[in-house]
Amino acid sequence: MKLENKKIAILATNGYERSELEKPMEALKNAGATVEIISLKKGEIKGMENDSEWSGSVKVDDTVAHADAADYDALVLPGGVLNPDALRGDEDAVAFVKDFFMENKPVASICHGPQLLIEAEVVSGRTLTSVSIISKDLKNAGANWVDEQVVTEGNLTTSRTPDDLDAFNERIIEEFSK
């Protein structure tokens, strides 16, 4: 499956889990997609390895305050402990995520990323997965949490941890190509 002519946004900020941003970005680009990093500020954002050590960085293509969901075909939300926590406190980031759901565009989220989905109030009644530590938060927000490698329901694809990245990447390419 190819993603030529598809423009994908990855919403992240400092503290993203490096593999959960870089590996999906690489897989999407290899499938032909144009991928842009959207963040809270211009410049670069720093990643982390295993939520404990700063590691690597990526260039920001646009700020979430200026980005428009209408300009993108799909959205990826990587995890990391710090990343979704910072994003869910930003009104523009939450609105950006909500817009993808209002337009019924594909959204993919891994690990701690669904914390941003909770803030955007888009998990109630949906079946999804995540890192197990936030399963109670998702259940309390009305989601049906399951412990599976990757789950797709409607326009939402979720996955648990970096260990599941191969399956996650395969699935998002499939879903984003529709």
Side-chain angles (χ1 to χ4, degrees), residues 11 64 69 75-77 87-88 90-107 113-114 116-122 155-156:
L11 178 60
V64 72
L75 173 65
V76 176
L77 302 171
L87 291 171
R88 68 184 178 166
D90 184 272
E91 289 179 15
D92 292 324
V94 174
F96 188 67
V97 171
K98 282 185 179 183
D99 287 346
F100 278 87
F101 283 89
M102 286 176 37
E103 296 176 20
N104 200 33
K105 291 183 176 183
V107 175
L116 186 52
L117 300 175
I118 293 169
E119 193 66 30
E121 299 177 332
V122 296
N155 68 321
L156 179 61

Side-chain angles (χ1 to χ4, degrees), residues 62-172:
D62 201 358
T63 63
V64 72
H66 295 104
D68 186 346
D71 295 335
Y72 298 93
D73 297 296
L75 173 65
V76 176
L77 302 171
V81 174
L82 301 176
N83 172 56
D85 197 48
L87 291 171
R88 68 184 178 166
D90 184 272
E91 289 179 15
D92 292 324
V94 174
F96 188 67
V97 171
K98 282 185 179 183
D99 287 346
F100 278 87
F101 283 89
M102 286 176 37
E103 296 176 20
N104 200 33
K105 291 183 176 183
V107 175
S109 185
I110 187 167
C111 205
H112 287 81
Q115 289 178 311
L116 186 52
L117 300 175
I118 293 169
E119 193 66 30
E121 299 177 332
V122 296
V123 300
S124 185
R126 291 182 180 267
T127 298
L128 59 119
T129 194
S130 68
V131 64
S132 62
I133 193 123
I134 67 165
S135 64
K136 190 168 188 174
D137 298 329
L138 287 160
K139 290 174 188 175
N140 287 341
N144 175 32
W145 185 87
V146 293
D147 186 11
E148 294 179 20
Q149 194 174 35
V150 63
V151 175
T152 299
E153 183 180 287
N155 68 321
L156 179 61
T157 297
T158 52
S159 195
R160 297 176 302 197
T161 69
D163 293 339
D164 300 322
L165 275 167
D166 289 341
F168 179 69
N169 291 341
E170 184 178 316
R171 181 73 58 86
I172 65 174

Side-chain angles (χ1 to χ4, degrees), residues 44-63:
E44 289 189 343
I45 53 174
K46 294 179 184 178
M48 295 193 91
E49 296 284 339
N50 304 315
D51 294 319
S52 61
E53 295 178 32
W54 292 103
S55 176
S57 63
V58 293
K59 180 185 171 292
V60 173
D61 295 296
D62 201 358
T63 63

